[in-house]
Structures are given as C-alpha cells and as structure tokens.
C-alpha cells in the first residue's frame, strides 16, 4: 500500500473532508447490509490520516487536538461506524507517545506512518466493572511475556495490523502489549450484533498463550501517576463522533424535508420547508448541533493548551471541558437523530431509506460511558473545585 504522509493541520482537514464526502455515499448501504468497510479503511490508511498525531521528530504532522477532533466529526457526519473504528488507534498512538521508550516510539511510529492500523483489546465482560481488567501478562524466564484473557467490544481489532491489549502484570499494574494481528494464540471473532454502529465489528478477542516480546510492552499505569490527558483525548474523540452524528442527522433531515416531505395541509404553505412550525423545529435542532460543535472546539483547545503546559490544574480544566462537550454532543446526537423522523414525516420511517441508522448509531455510541457521571464531575469542579479523577475516562 502506498501511504501519503500528511504535512500539516490544513492538509489533514482537507483530506478528512474529502474522505467524508466519499464515505457518505455508501454509508446507508453498508449499514443495511452490514458490509464491513475494508476498502474504506484501506483508503483511510493510504490517505495518511492515521499518522497525523505522530510527533514531528518521528516524521509526523503532530496536528493539534482541535484538528483531530474535527477530523472525527467530519468522518462521523458521513458514517459513524467508520469513524468509530480508528478511535482506539489514536488512543494507543497516544500511549506510545506518553510511555514508549525511544526505540519503541521509533518502531511503532514508523508502523503508523506506513499505514498500519492499531485496534483495541481493552474492555472485558462479566467483571465487576469496566476497570476490573483480568487479562494477564505473565513473564517468561527470558524476559518476554505470555498473554491470556478474553476481550469484548474490541472495535477495530478485526481490521488491525496491531492490537494493543490492556492487561495486568504480576504486580497488577496495567500495561499495554502491542500484539500483531496474526500472532499465534490470538483470535478475533466477528460476533458484534449491536443495533447501531453495525459495521464496527466490535466483537471478541481471545488470547490463549500469546507470546509478546518485552519491547512490545508499555507501562500504562504510569500514565495516571501525574497530570495526564489520556482520558481527555480519548473522550474528545468520542464527543466528536457524537457531534458528527448530530450534524449528519440534521443534514439528512434538511435534505429530506426540502425534497421529499409534503406540507401539512393546515400550514397553508406550498412546501414543507415553508411550514413555520417546521422552521421553528429546525432552528431548535440547529442550536443543539451548533452548541455541540462549539463545545467540542472549546474542549479541543483546552486539551491543546494543557498539552503545551501540563499541570494538575490545566489537566483538570481540559478534562472538565471535554466532559461538557461529551454531555452536550451525546444529547444532541440522540435528540436530533430522533427528531429527524418527526420533522420529515411518515415516509422517513421506511426501512428501505435506512434513516434510522443515525438514531441507532447515536443510541449505541452514547452508551460507551455514562454522561451522568460527567455531569457529576463538572458539578464538583464548579462548586467545590474538586479536580476530576485520573482514571482515563475523563
């Protein structure tokens, strides 16, 4: 595969906008048929977008988080499933940046710039809670390791070249092992059957005696021993996906009402787009979308500012800003995707049109982590000055 290397933020945004237009055309059919986006992901890899956060010293564009968030918003406005797949890729590129040795960074960043994709083997099912990680990284006498465990919701793993696996070592400290997709003992099962984000293939990863060299293991627990932006960056991308879903649903509603909807007979108008009640509703929906996009930009700028001068205070401010963006974007995604049907009319419910994919994607993606706890942390910060916890989900 020939892979382009993107030079700067402006080029990254232009490439993302072009790909979003390309991916939008087939999004409804891919969802309806659950046609996995192998070709589209190869286009994403070849475009160079997957390498835009690689540090400049290693040959990357090292774009701002504001740019990265906008990339995800653009992609999600076209196809929320497709946008979700590389979210973990960027999270684990960030782990390499934060915890990798010089040699680990040299190797893994080169892989990223060559178009290699990182997947995700992080979450587990049936445990006490989301941070009860039981996958084990067991040492061998020669200094290497063996991985054993089962992961669920492994978005991106099916399409990955490398699968970062979150696991505990002998001391129960969290580590990330970067494992080749074809490693012996590693099996990816395409058993994802979610009602939304149907083509993410967020299925199961089974790890049975998977060998891991010592130089492919990074000490992730160190990330949380000081001020950190790991959670803020990860959550910023989730917020961008939700904002993209909201914007995409609004654009679809606008197009439908302009071209297909009939005016209600009592409106006295020639077209549905002239109905004053619909105009009012679209104004309110636009406010939801604009607010989510504005808070997303504000949060991204807070993360960029904190990266430039990382302290407990700057990290807390960034985390709270991202939490606010995520709450607003999640609400906008669900509400706008639901309102699409109300403003468009009966015909919009036809299965053949697959307009319900926006709501299914929104409702599925916003379950990723509860916004009610984000509101709690915002309230504690505003009222009592309590900094958010460093657990990676803020």
């Amino acid at each position: 595969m020939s892979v382009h290397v993107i030079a700067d933020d402006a080029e990254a945004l232009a490439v993302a906008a072009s790909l979003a237009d390309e991916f939008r055309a087939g999004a409804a059919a891919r969802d309806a048929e659950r046609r996995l986006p192998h070709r589209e992901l190869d286009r994403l890899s070849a475009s160079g977008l997957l390498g835009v956060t690689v540090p400049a010293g290693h040959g990357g564009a090292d774009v701002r988080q504001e740019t990265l968030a906008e990339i995800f918003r653009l992609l999600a406005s076209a196809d929320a499933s497709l946008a979700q797949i590389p979210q973990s890729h960027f999270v684990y590129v960030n782990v390499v940046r934060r915890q990798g040795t010089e040699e680990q960074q040299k190797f893994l960043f080169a892989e990223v710039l060559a178009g290699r994709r990182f997947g995700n083997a992080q979450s587990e099912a049936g445990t006490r809670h989301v941070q009860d990680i039981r996958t084990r990284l067991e040492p061998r006498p020669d200094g290497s390791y063996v991985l054993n465990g089962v992961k669920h919701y492994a978005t991106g793993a099916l399409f990955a070249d490398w699968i970062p696996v979150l696991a505990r070592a002998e001391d129960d400290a969290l580590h990330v092992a970067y494992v080749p997709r074809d490693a012996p003992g590693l099996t990816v099962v395409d058993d994802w059957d979610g009602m939304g984000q149907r083509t993410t293939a967020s299925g199961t990863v089974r790890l049975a005696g998977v060998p891991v060299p010592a130089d492919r293991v990074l000490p992730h627990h160190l990330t949380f021993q000081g001020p950190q932006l790991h959670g803020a960056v990860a959550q910023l991308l989730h917020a961008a996906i939700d904002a993209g879903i909201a914007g995409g649903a609004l654009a679809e509603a606008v197009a439908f009402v302009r071209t297909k909807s009939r005016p209600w007979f009592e409106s006295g108008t020639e077209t549905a787009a002239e109905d004053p009640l619909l105009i009012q509703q679209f104004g309110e929906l636009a406010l939801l979308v604009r607010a989510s996009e504005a808070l997303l930009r504000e949060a991204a700028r807070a993360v960029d500012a904190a990266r430039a001068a990382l302290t407990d205070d700057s990290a807390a401010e960034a985390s709270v800003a991202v939490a606010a963006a995520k709450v607003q974007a999640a609400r906008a995604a669900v509400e706008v995707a639901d309102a699409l049907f109300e403003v468009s009319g009966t015909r919009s419910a036809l299965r053949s049109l697959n307009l319900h994919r926006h709501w299914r994607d929104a409702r599925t993606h916003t379950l990723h982590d509860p916004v009610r706890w984000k509101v709690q942390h915002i309230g504690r910060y505003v009222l009592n000055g309590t900094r958010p916890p460093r657990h990676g989900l803020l």
Side-chain angles (χ1 to χ4, degrees):
M1 180 191 300
S2 176
V3 178
H4 177 66
V5 177
I6 288 174
D8 53 30
D9 293 71
E11 184 183 7
L13 291 172
V15 170
S18 177
L19 283 179
D21 288 341
E22 179 183 328
F23 295 158
R24 185 176 289 107
R30 284 192 298 273
D31 175 88
E33 300 164 13
R34 197 175 181 268
R35 189 168 72 240
L36 299 183
H38 293 284
R39 186 189 70 82
E40 289 77 14
L41 286 169
D42 286 344
R43 288 280 294 120
L44 187 65
S45 292
S47 75
L49 277 182
L50 295 181
V52 296
T53 60
V54 170
H58 289 272
D62 199 10
V63 301
R64 300 187 304 274
Q65 294 303 297
E66 183 178 0
T67 297
L68 187 62
E70 180 63 5
I71 289 169
F72 270 79
R73 191 195 68 79
L74 287 167
L75 294 176
S77 71
D79 185 336
S81 287
L82 194 50
Q84 179 65 39
I85 292 168
Q87 191 269 346
S88 292
H89 170 90
F90 286 98
V91 168
Y92 286 104
V93 169
N94 199 35
V95 171
V96 176
R97 180 178 188 136
R98 175 87 181 201
Q99 298 302 340
T101 65
E102 181 62 30
E103 285 303 308
Q104 288 172 327
Q105 290 179 351
K106 181 179 179 181
F107 174 78
L108 290 170
F109 286 151
E111 287 288 283
V112 172
L113 289 176
R116 309 284 192 268
R117 295 190 288 265
F118 289 175
N120 150 47
Q122 177 171 296
S123 295
E124 299 179 12
T127 57
R128 291 184 301 119
H129 50 69
V130 71
Q131 293 203 326
D132 182 14
I133 303 297
R134 301 183 184 181
T135 297
R136 305 303 300 187
L137 193 61
E138 300 166 6
R140 284 174 159 178
D142 63 359
S144 66
Y145 297 89
V146 172
L147 268 173
N148 288 287
V150 179
K151 298 290 188 176
H152 297 269
Y153 312 118
T155 304
L158 191 69
F159 312 105
D161 300 287
W162 291 89
I163 301 179
V165 181
L166 195 61
R168 295 194 184 276
E170 282 186 305
D171 56 0
D172 278 345
L174 281 175
H175 292 70
V176 176
Y178 289 74
V179 182
R181 167 70 175 78
D182 58 358
L186 187 154
T187 305
V188 180
V189 184
D190 180 22
D191 56 359
W192 171 243
D193 65 349
M195 68 174 181
Q197 295 197 299
R198 298 186 67 231
T199 61
T200 59
S202 301
T204 302
V205 171
R206 301 186 185 280
L207 305 148
V210 178
V212 184
D215 61 358
R216 296 293 177 263
V217 177
L218 278 67
H220 191 37
H221 60 283
L222 298 180
T223 300
F224 307 102
Q225 292 185 5
Q228 53 84 33
L229 297 171
H230 176 80
V233 171
Q235 290 294 307
L236 181 70
L237 302 186
H238 283 305
I241 292 169
D242 288 339
I245 293 171
L250 180 59
E252 191 109 53
V254 167
F256 195 96
V257 170
R258 284 177 177 173
T259 62
K260 296 182 176 66
S261 295
R262 296 182 297 176
W264 184 244
F265 71 95
E266 292 178 291
S267 69
T269 62
E270 290 296 317
T271 67
E274 297 172 291
D275 183 336
L277 297 183
L278 281 181
I279 289 171
Q280 177 72 21
Q281 282 185 285
F282 272 98
E284 292 171 354
L285 296 176
L287 287 174
L288 285 173
V289 173
R290 282 173 174 262
S292 68
E293 293 174 355
L295 284 175
L296 180 68
R297 288 191 295 270
E298 179 183 288
R301 290 166 185 164
V303 174
D304 282 326
R307 286 180 70 185
L310 187 60
T311 64
D312 282 327
D313 287 338
S314 67
E317 185 61 34
S319 290
V320 169
V322 171
K326 181 66 170 69
V327 172
Q328 176 64 28
R331 290 174 176 172
V334 174
E335 291 181 28
V336 176
D338 179 69
L340 185 159
F341 300 98
E342 181 181 352
V343 297
S344 299
T346 306
R347 186 182 174 190
S348 64
L350 293 177
R351 185 180 295 274
S352 60
L353 296 175
N354 199 20
L355 294 178
H356 50 75
R357 74 184 185 281
H358 300 290
W359 184 87
R360 289 187 287 103
D361 286 343
R363 187 65 281 177
T364 300
H365 183 256
T366 55
L367 297 175
H368 187 275
D369 49 280
V371 296
R372 60 184 178 273
W373 274 99
K374 298 186 188 305
V375 175
Q376 279 282 312
H377 291 304
I378 293 169
R380 292 170 184 174
Y381 183 75
V382 170
L383 185 59
N384 299 315
T386 305
R387 295 189 187 112
R390 296 172 178 165
H391 55 42
L393 290 172
L394 280 167

